Amino acid sequence: MLGNYKAALFDMDGTLIDSKPVIELAWTTIAFKYGININNHTLEQHIHGRSGNYSLSYLFGHFPQYQQLLIKKEVDLIEERAMTELIPGAKSILMKLKNNGIRLGLVTASWPERIDFILNYHNIKSYFDCIISRDDVINNKPDPEGFKLCAKKMNISIDHCIIFEDSLSGLYAGINSGAKCIGINTSQIPKSVNLVAIYKDYLDINI
């Protein structure tokens, strides 16, 4: 599996942690409060793997700017310190990759305070050589900016990186960056999306 890869870049929500239920709860709860119903299609296409600002604009773009900011704070408050479980085998795969000399990066649409809380809660922050949050980029996924920036900061060519992602927008970002991608805990991926492999979790991956 390692081949010529020098780095592995991971998304966080849905890829390292099982945060989908928390994210869905946060957005559907607050949307319902403001008279907006969110269906499964909206969750997959406009919530999961998307930046909070994108989802906010998509759902609440017709609200005044000051109210949008208040709504986003309500969503973030539910998400920020919610307890989440690691995807099975996640910590083990991080350890194995590090032990094999593979450098690790985290590229997420989440924000620094939540990233710190999650990584410290699961005691995995020390595994990562580079962390890119939504505050570090202008364009969030499906734009490849975050993955390219992470590779650049680690001084590794993007074509020597393997990317682990769960969402369609994240996989598009990874593929468009020029890297190879592995789908983790993913669903509804078109056959046209060319992936190295798809796994339910990390337990079946051999290194």
Side-chain angles (χ1 to χ4, degrees), residues 130-145:
C130 179
I131 296 174
I132 302 296
S133 76
R134 70 184 185 192
D135 293 349
D136 297 311
V137 297
I138 297 174
N139 303 299
N140 280 288
K141 302 168 186 176
D143 192 282
E145 181 183 351

Side-chain angles (χ1 to χ4, degrees), residues 9-205:
L9 312 184
F10 288 81
D11 173 47
M12 187 174 77
D13 289 291
T15 303
L16 285 177
I17 59 171
D18 186 15
S19 56
K20 279 190 175 182
V22 171
I23 292 171
E24 292 179 1
L25 174 66
W27 283 101
T28 55
T29 298
I30 301 306
F32 182 78
K33 176 181 176 180
Y34 290 91
I36 298 172
N37 290 316
I38 299 179
N39 58 30
N40 288 335
H41 175 79
T42 299
L43 287 170
E44 290 298 329
Q45 297 297 322
H46 303 290
I47 304 294
H48 293 305
R50 296 284 194 168
S51 71
N53 287 337
Y54 170 88
S55 300
L56 182 70
S57 178
Y58 180 83
L59 293 170
F60 302 100
H62 56 292
F63 284 69
Q65 186 65 29
Y66 78 91
Q67 194 168 16
Q68 289 186 47
L69 294 175
L70 294 175
I71 290 170
K72 188 61 174 65
K73 287 182 179 179
E74 292 183 79
V75 173
D76 287 353
L77 189 62
I78 296 176
E79 285 189 42
E80 190 163 301
R81 294 187 174 273
M83 301 301 179
T84 57
E85 296 298 322
L86 287 172
I87 299 296
K91 192 168 185 176
S92 175
I93 203 74
L94 294 176
M95 185 183 302
K96 289 178 180 178
L97 288 168
K98 291 293 281 189
N99 289 341
N100 278 276
I102 303 297
R103 300 181 68 190
L104 302 181
L106 184 72
V107 181
T108 172
S110 195
W111 56 101
E113 293 81 5
R114 182 166 183 267
I115 295 168
D116 284 343
F117 174 77
I118 293 296
L119 298 188
N120 289 326
Y121 175 71
H122 290 294
N123 195 28
I124 56 175
K125 188 173 184 178
S126 62
Y127 289 105
F128 294 99
D129 301 285
C130 179
I131 296 174
I132 302 296
S133 76
R134 70 184 185 192
D135 293 349
D136 297 311
V137 297
I138 297 174
N139 303 299
N140 280 288
K141 302 168 186 176
D143 192 282
E145 181 183 351
F147 288 123
K148 289 183 175 181
L149 178 60
C150 188
K152 182 178 179 180
K153 283 182 173 291
M154 292 196 294
N155 197 30
I156 296 174
S157 174
I158 192 67
D159 57 2
H160 287 157
C161 297
I162 183 79
I163 291 174
F164 292 82
E165 267 282 1
D166 71 300
S167 69
L168 185 57
S169 62
L171 289 167
Y172 277 135
I175 291 169
N176 290 334
S177 75
K180 299 295 184 181
C181 296
I182 290 177
I184 293 291
N185 188 34
T186 193
S187 61
Q188 299 181 359
I189 300 301
K191 292 182 179 179
S192 59
V193 180
N194 187 22
L195 303 180
V196 173
I198 297 177
Y199 297 100
K200 179 181 178 183
D201 51 43
Y202 298 95
L203 298 178
D204 293 329
I205 300 178

